Amino acid sequence: MAGDEREKAHCLVVPAAAQGHFTPLLQFSKRLIPKRIRVTLALTRFIHSTMTVTAQSGIHIDTISDGFDHSGLILQDPEHYSQTFRRVGSETLTDLIRKQSESRHPVHCIIYDASMPWFLDVAKRFGIVGAAFLTQSCAVNAIYYHLREGTIKRPVVSDPAAGTLVIDGLPPLEVSDLPSFIWDDLHTEFLAAHLRQFSNDGADWVFCNTVYQLELEAVDWLTKQWLINFRTIGPTIPSFYLDKQIPDDKDYDISIFNPQNQTCMNWLQSKPDGSVVYVSFGSLARLSPQQTEELYFGLKNSNHYFLWVVRESEVAKLPKEEYLSGEKGLVVSWCSQLQVLASGKVGCFVTHCGWNSTLEALSLGVPMVAMPECGDQLTNAKFIKDVWKTGVRAEADDGKGIMWGMIKREVIERCIREVMEGEETRRNADKWGKIIKEAVVEGGSSDKNTEDFATSLINFAETFQFSC
Ligand SMILES: O=c1ccn([C@@H]2O[C@H](COP(=O)(O)OP(=O)(O)O[C@H]3O[C@H](CO)[C@@H](O)[C@H](O)[C@H]3O)[C@@H](O)[C@H]2O)c(=O)[nH]1
């Protein structure tokens, strides 16, 4: 292959257009470069024009179109968005593959978000390798797989004898532990997108952003049921926080919000180690004004320091209390969550249990108070509390996520105290942090899977002849 002599094969990486989806693909790309793979990240024109992308670590960036170059992802009509992305995305990705290949960088593989299986058709038309990428936990994907196969049926009901759902590859689950898209009837296109992931039967590889040891039963089960080349490659967290093998890899390099890092770090520095409750609900969750108030009083009454991320769109819901910006509490609109979790100052993370936040807390050994809102977060909360035992769950009054029920201030206060003042969740968090780090160092489970893929791709590239 022309270009850098060390590059032995070339991957085009195509993420879906949402923060929780493109950071894992970007981070996985960084792991491929030391393994002699050239990577071109194909962002939509809208994302490319609106976001700060500071991709270093040798990643190349180019663009395709989702058909919405001026507006991007349309949450109000996700079905129309997906259909347009399928048509326009496939055409523009085809053009990009031709352009790259004619400019001396023949493309050997497309790695794409598994919710967009139409990119596998593009790969197959060129006779190149297709690799689908799952951004959520393996347990969550196993549940969706059961739904597709009909072993879980909607509407979902518990086994009356067991009182729970007994599902192969998974611990006993309540209905409210399942991803809510299965039972809430509010997110039909999101459910469709998750089920679409299993239209990747013809893919040469399927990667999952998890760690084998975290969910080995679910990984083994899904590998047996679905695809032999189903591999765990996570966590997709900058190397600096794990193995420190990639010198430039200190941050995600792409963000939709501006972090107030200096303010956060200055405030944190003045606090004792392990004394701060960090609160964040990710990039999408929207708490009701009442839930925001309950959370505020839960934090205040726990009497611990707190650093609370409240996105600009949510600020109006905050109570007007001076306590929010002072010695005891600090509210910011965004921060570098990794830096905060790794600072040593955080004793507990109050989280909505998005998969990236969950993996970050597990990797950095920070115990959690789980307050899931909807979707996969409910299943992640179950694993945090009952499987990894690295946190407690603040139960809403109806037992579901906070999109439906309310978590009272007394419950929040009790959960924070339990994690901040107890030993067990911290001990388990330390244990899982070590296990995860072992998976990414040379020869660890995730590193080995990434190495196998890179080696196989280099072998493929040696004999591949590009033809339009
Ligand atoms: O102040 C902040 C707050 C968050 N983050 C980062 O933002 C990301 C948030 O991701 P995640 O925890 O996965 O939450 P969402 O943004 O809500 O992600 C969506 O996508 C995820 C992956 O599919 C799903 O697991 C979630 O349920 C879904 O809401 C993480 O990497 C955080 O480090 C920051 O950098 N600074």
Side-chain angles (χ1 to χ4, degrees):
M1 196 171 80
D4 187 327
E5 278 305 300
R6 285 164 305 172
E7 294 170 344
K8 301 295 178 201
H10 183 192
C11 279
L12 273 189
V13 175
V14 192
Q19 171 105 37
H21 287 247
F22 50 62
T23 44
L25 274 145
L26 171 61
Q27 285 306 126
F28 180 55
S29 302
K30 291 180 186 171
R31 292 270 167 194
L32 293 173
I33 289 166
K35 299 194 186 298
R36 300 181 297 159
I37 307 294
R38 178 184 179 90
V39 177
T40 301
L41 190 64
L43 296 174
T44 62
R45 287 179 195 142
F46 176 75
I47 289 201
H48 189 251
S49 65
T50 52
M51 285 192 180
T52 322
V53 187
T54 51
Q56 294 157 6
S57 322
I59 291 175
H60 303 269
I61 294 187
D62 215 320
T63 56
I64 58 170
S65 175
D66 54 5
F68 298 91
D69 295 348
H70 301 292
S71 61
L73 175 64
I74 314 211
L75 278 171
Q76 300 86 322
D77 192 352
E79 196 177 337
H80 173 56
Y81 177 81
S82 294
Q83 280 168 3
T84 311
F85 198 173
R86 176 184 192 133
R87 182 173 50 78
V88 182
S90 298
E91 285 164 12
T92 50
L93 185 65
T94 300
D95 293 343
L96 179 58
I97 292 172
R98 290 206 176 107
K99 183 184 98 178
Q100 288 281 336
S101 300
E102 283 158 12
S103 68
R104 303 185 306 134
H105 295 298
V107 175
H108 302 107
C109 173
I110 305 173
I111 305 177
Y112 57 94
D113 190 291
S115 64
M116 307 188 296
W118 46 84
F119 290 133
L120 180 61
D121 299 336
V122 177
K124 293 298 160 196
R125 272 205 298 281
F126 284 103
I128 60 179
V129 174
F133 191 103
L134 299 163
T135 53
Q136 298 190 349
S137 82
C138 188
V140 164
N141 285 302
I143 293 168
Y144 285 125
Y145 190 87
H146 275 287
L147 185 70
R148 187 191 81 152
E149 293 298 288
T151 40
I152 297 179
K153 291 188 174 53
R154 300 175 76 205
V156 198
V157 285
S158 307
D159 171 345
T164 52
L165 290 156
V166 181
I167 308 172
D168 279 357
L170 294 160
L173 299 170
E174 308 281 340
V175 174
S176 57
D177 296 326
L178 300 178
S180 69
F181 302 161
I182 291 182
W183 49 258
D184 70 14
D185 287 328
L186 296 173
H187 301 90
T188 44
E189 172 52 24
F190 289 147
L191 176 60
H194 284 97
L195 294 177
R196 248 193 334 256
Q197 300 186 121
F198 305 107
S199 306
N200 287 298
D201 285 348
D204 301 286
W205 299 81
V206 176
F207 299 120
C208 186
N209 179 19
T210 190
V211 175
Y212 177 66
Q213 288 78 357
L214 275 177
E215 356 179 39
L216 57 166
E217 288 93 357
V219 177
D220 289 343
W221 184 83
L222 204 52
T223 310
K224 213 158 36 175
Q225 301 300 315
W226 186 28
L227 276 179
I228 201 75
N229 267 348
F230 177 76
R231 300 294 183 95
T232 55
I233 49 72
T236 53
I237 290 176
S239 170
F240 178 78
Y241 297 96
L242 298 168
D243 55 336
K244 300 195 192 304
Q245 290 305 303
I246 308 176
D248 291 343
D249 187 21
K250 295 188 170 150
D251 214 331
Y252 284 132
D253 296 338
I254 191 163
S255 179
I256 27 178
F257 303 108
N258 277 331
Q260 294 173 259
N261 284 346
Q262 209 52 52
T263 312
C264 289
M265 296 321 283
N266 287 347
W267 185 86
L268 278 176
Q269 283 322 317
S270 65
K271 307 291 176 279
D273 285 354
S275 67
V276 175
V277 179
Y278 169 65
V279 189
S280 163
F281 288 80
S283 61
L284 299 169
R286 296 200 332 230
L287 275 60
S288 67
Q290 295 88 329
Q291 184 63 78
T292 309
E293 186 170 312
E294 291 302 308
L295 177 54
Y296 167 69
F297 282 106
L299 286 165
K300 183 177 178 184
N301 297 343
S302 78
N303 204 28
H304 288 285
Y305 296 115
F306 62 86
L307 170 59
W308 186 1
V309 178
V310 182
R311 301 190 313 274
E312 264 161 30
S313 59
E314 305 295 290
V315 166
K317 298 174 187 169
L318 283 171
K320 307 274 170 284
E321 295 254 354
E322 287 183 5
Y323 199 74
L324 281 169
S325 182
E327 171 58 15
K328 212 73 196 190
L330 177 69
V331 173
V332 293
S333 57
W334 199 249
C335 66
S336 164
Q337 183 162 296
L338 282 164
Q339 261 187 49
V340 169
L341 292 176
S343 67
K345 305 292 179 184
V346 176
C348 159
F349 178 12
V350 177
T351 171
H352 72 313
C353 309
W355 184 233
N356 296 296
S357 294
T358 303
L359 278 177
E360 289 163 11
L362 286 166
S363 304
L364 295 167
V366 179
M368 291 170 262
V369 170
M371 285 183 60
E373 187 199 33
C374 64
D376 64 319
Q377 299 154 17
L378 302 169
T379 315
N380 300 338
K382 164 76 182 171
F383 274 66
I384 289 166
K385 175 172 172 277
D386 292 329
V387 177
W388 306 312
K389 300 185 192 324
T390 60
V392 298
R393 181 167 174 174
E395 294 282 350
D397 46 16
D398 68 348
K400 297 181 187 166
I402 49 175
M403 184 171 264
W404 298 274
M406 176 72 63
I407 308 180
K408 299 271 166 38
R409 61 189 70 182
E410 299 77 23
V411 177
I412 297 169
E413 180 192 341
R414 180 174 40 75
C415 289
I416 290 173
R417 286 184 184 280
E418 202 174 323
V419 172
M420 289 296 281
E421 294 156 28
E423 283 298 319
E424 194 195 338
T425 54
R426 189 176 325 283
R427 244 196 331 268
N428 291 331
D430 277 349
K431 179 186 89 180
W432 283 110
K434 287 188 188 105
I435 293 172
I436 290 173
K437 289 189 180 87
E438 280 164 16
V440 295
V441 297
E442 202 178 331
S445 57
S446 293
D447 177 69
K448 187 171 174 314
N449 287 336
T450 311
E451 182 71 41
D452 287 353
F453 167 64
T455 306
S456 143
L457 196 60
I458 291 168
N459 290 338
F460 174 83
E462 273 170 8
T463 53
F464 176 72
Q465 288 295 320
F466 182 80
S467 94
C468 291

